[in-house]
Amino acid sequence: MTVKTMSFQVLTERYNQFVLITDRVERAVAESGVKDGMVTVLSMHTTTGIAVNESLECLESDLEQFLARLVPEDRPYAHARMLKDYGSTAGNPTGHLKSHITGNHCHFFIENGKMVRGGAQDIYFCEFDGPSQRTIRVQIVG
Amino acid sequence: MTVKTMSFQVLTERYNQFVLITDRVERAVAESGVKDGMVTVLSMHTTTGIAVNESLECLESDLEQFLARLVPEDRPYAHARMLKDYGSTAGNPTGHLKSHITGNHCHFFIENGKMVRGGAQDIYFCEFDGPSQRTIRVQIVG
Amino acid sequence: MTVKTMSFQVLTERYNQFVLITDRVERAVAESGVKDGMVTVLSMHTTTGIAVNESLECLESDLEQFLARLVPEDRPYAHARMLKDYGSTAGNPTGHLKSHITGNHCHFFIENGKMVRGGAQDIYFCEFDGPSQRTIRVQIVG
């Protein structure tokens, strides 16, 4: 059994942003040398998400507006207040809530050394509190 | 370490439909011969979901109405427009959004050759853009 | 390859409650002796969830109010009716719907014998139909 774990960084540029990371995950799978197994992609943050969806700009904007409608910025959240541990006002309650309904990981199977995706499936890193430098960890087991 | 990967098809009949697939996953686990490990069930599509919930018709209709309320059909989505790559109008933005909040996979542990489920837990394939022929992949590791 | 599966109980005290279980999962990882691999945490119920988020009381109340807003108690759900199999009225449709959008599992990677979490990441068991005694299963593979 082989277990390979690595990480990479994403530098986001907007408050909410969908960043394609399929290529980086596929490269990690290829470099692992694993022939049959599974890859797991995990965000290390709590105001971000990992999602599998079709890669289309119109869908990215639909998703962004959908999440903004479910989790509006202008509600009276408890997390939008002074936090002693932070020494500042917490300002990202919406990011945490969007993360809750998005999820923080995905999986794909590896067969004959290739990550098997459906025809429309791409992997998105979802930023809900950017701009920021983010860490994504990838584990390949096989 | 054993890695067994297989797939099966589901033919859905309605635009939105919840299809029980527990039996097919349990059969795959039994046929794998794995005694201790994990099974992962993964949809190969982006307008579908995999969910674990109680198998009751009243719950299926509650879920369908709940998702239709969160993601109404009559909003002005960007994805509902002419797409050059498709050569046609994309008409399934709601399926992609329902998929985003549902998730596309589930796991169960295998102990003594059996898939261990809670008393009320069944596995649903969730169709959000049917009718269609869909592919579900299953991997058993142990 | 090592596969260790165990379970623990959580006794919830409120109808909706977020219970931190990070310590119990970390203890299971330490006791497994696995150096490199993955831990999976799985709820055995259908009116609960497993979520990764920051451990802050203000966030717990924001999450609780957010889910109550998406899934209000006072709607006419089909599952809120007499069920012959139960011999009583089903009264927890909201718990099943909150579970659907929360998800029922999480993963963390194990490196050098430690569960690697991001700085703000904690594991919550989410009760959506308490008070109740709940079972959580944990599998460590490496």
Side-chain angles (χ1 to χ4, degrees):
Chain A
M1 181 194 180
T2 307
V3 177
K4 296 259 170 95
T5 311
M6 49 82 69
S7 68
F8 61 84
Q9 310 285 319
V10 169
L11 204 62
T12 59
E13 292 161 351
R14 296 198 303 277
Y15 183 39
N16 284 272
Q17 189 178 351
F18 293 85
V19 182
L20 278 173
I21 57 171
T22 317
D23 284 356
R24 300 178 82 160
V25 176
E26 285 194 327
R27 211 178 311 146
V29 169
E31 288 169 3
S32 74
V34 166
K35 294 293 170 216
D36 293 285
M38 184 160 78
V39 57
T40 299
V41 183
L42 199 58
S43 170
M44 291 288 102
H45 307 277
T46 54
T47 54
T48 68
I50 302 284
V52 174
N53 222 320
E54 192 169 1
S55 168
L56 289 167
E57 278 183 32
C58 52
L59 262 186
E60 294 172 19
S61 70
D62 280 342
L63 262 172
E64 186 170 332
Q65 287 178 37
F66 165 61
L67 293 171
R69 183 161 51 81
L70 288 195
V71 192
E73 292 291 330
D74 58 0
R75 289 187 67 87
Y77 298 104
H79 186 48
R81 56 158 202 192
M82 186 65 192
L83 283 178
K84 268 186 263 178
D85 289 355
Y86 285 22
S88 72
T89 304
N92 56 4
T94 58
H96 289 283
L97 300 183
K98 290 173 182 174
S99 176
H100 181 88
I101 57 174
T102 298
N104 76 345
H105 68 278
C106 76
H107 311 279
F108 280 101
F109 302 147
I110 303 166
E111 297 177 61
N112 301 315
K114 299 252 179 202
M115 187 169 95
V116 178
R117 293 184 284 132
Q121 289 183 314
D122 266 291
I123 308 174
Y124 275 106
F125 175 76
C126 312
E127 173 64 79
F128 301 130
D129 187 34
S132 189
Q133 182 173 329
R134 302 300 200 168
T135 302
I136 293 148
R137 293 188 87 74
V138 179
Q139 186 172 90
I140 295 137
V141 174
Chain B
M1 181 194 179
T2 308
V3 177
K4 297 257 170 95
T5 311
M6 49 81 71
S7 67
F8 62 86
Q9 312 284 318
V10 169
L11 203 64
T12 59
E13 293 160 351
R14 296 199 302 278
Y15 184 38
N16 284 273
Q17 189 179 351
F18 293 85
V19 182
L20 278 174
I21 57 171
T22 316
D23 285 356
R24 299 177 83 159
V25 177
E26 285 194 328
R27 212 178 311 147
V29 169
E31 288 168 4
S32 75
V34 165
K35 295 293 170 215
D36 293 285
M38 185 159 76
V39 57
T40 299
V41 182
L42 198 58
S43 170
M44 291 289 102
H45 308 278
T46 55
T47 53
T48 68
I50 302 283
V52 175
N53 222 319
E54 192 169 1
S55 168
L56 289 168
E57 278 184 31
C58 51
L59 262 185
E60 293 172 20
S61 71
D62 280 341
L63 262 171
E64 187 170 333
Q65 287 179 38
F66 166 62
L67 293 170
R69 182 161 53 80
L70 288 195
V71 192
E73 292 291 329
D74 60 358
R75 290 187 67 87
Y77 299 104
H79 186 47
R81 54 159 202 192
M82 186 66 191
L83 283 179
K84 268 186 264 180
D85 290 355
Y86 285 21
S88 72
T89 305
N92 55 5
T94 57
H96 289 284
L97 301 183
K98 289 173 183 175
S99 177
H100 181 89
I101 57 173
T102 298
N104 75 346
H105 69 278
C106 76
H107 311 279
F108 280 101
F109 301 146
I110 302 165
E111 297 177 62
N112 301 315
K114 299 251 179 202
M115 188 170 95
V116 179
R117 294 184 283 132
Q121 289 183 315
D122 266 290
I123 308 175
Y124 275 106
F125 175 76
C126 311
E127 172 65 79
F128 300 131
D129 187 34
S132 189
Q133 183 172 328
R134 303 299 202 169
T135 302
I136 295 148
R137 292 187 87 74
V138 179
Q139 186 173 88
I140 294 137
V141 174
Chain C
M1 181 195 183
T2 307
V3 177
K4 297 258 171 96
T5 311
M6 49 81 70
S7 67
F8 61 85
Q9 311 285 318
V10 169
L11 204 64
T12 59
E13 292 159 353
R14 295 198 303 277
Y15 183 40
N16 284 272
Q17 188 178 351
F18 293 86
V19 182
L20 279 173
I21 57 170
T22 317
D23 285 356
R24 299 177 82 159
V25 177
E26 286 194 326
R27 211 178 312 147
V29 170
E31 288 169 3
S32 75
V34 166
K35 294 294 169 216
D36 293 285
M38 185 159 77
V39 58
T40 300
V41 182
L42 199 58
S43 170
M44 290 289 102
H45 308 277
T46 55
T47 53
T48 68
I50 300 285
V52 175
N53 222 319
E54 192 169 0
S55 169
L56 289 168
E57 278 183 30
C58 52
L59 262 185
E60 293 173 19
S61 70
D62 280 342
L63 263 171
E64 187 171 331
Q65 287 178 38
F66 166 62
L67 293 170
R69 183 161 53 81
L70 288 195
V71 191
E73 292 291 330
D74 59 359
R75 289 187 68 85
Y77 298 104
H79 186 47
R81 55 157 201 191
M82 185 66 191
L83 283 179
K84 268 186 263 180
D85 289 355
Y86 285 21
S88 70
T89 304
N92 55 5
T94 57
H96 289 284
L97 301 182
K98 290 174 182 174
S99 176
H100 182 88
I101 57 174
T102 297
N104 75 346
H105 70 276
C106 76
H107 310 279
F108 281 101
F109 302 146
I110 302 166
E111 297 177 63
N112 302 315
K114 299 252 179 201
M115 187 169 96
V116 178
R117 293 183 284 132
Q121 289 182 316
D122 266 291
I123 308 175
Y124 275 106
F125 175 77
C126 311
E127 173 65 78
F128 300 131
D129 187 33
S132 190
Q133 181 172 330
R134 303 298 201 169
T135 303
I136 295 147
R137 293 188 85 75
V138 179
Q139 186 172 90
I140 295 138
V141 174

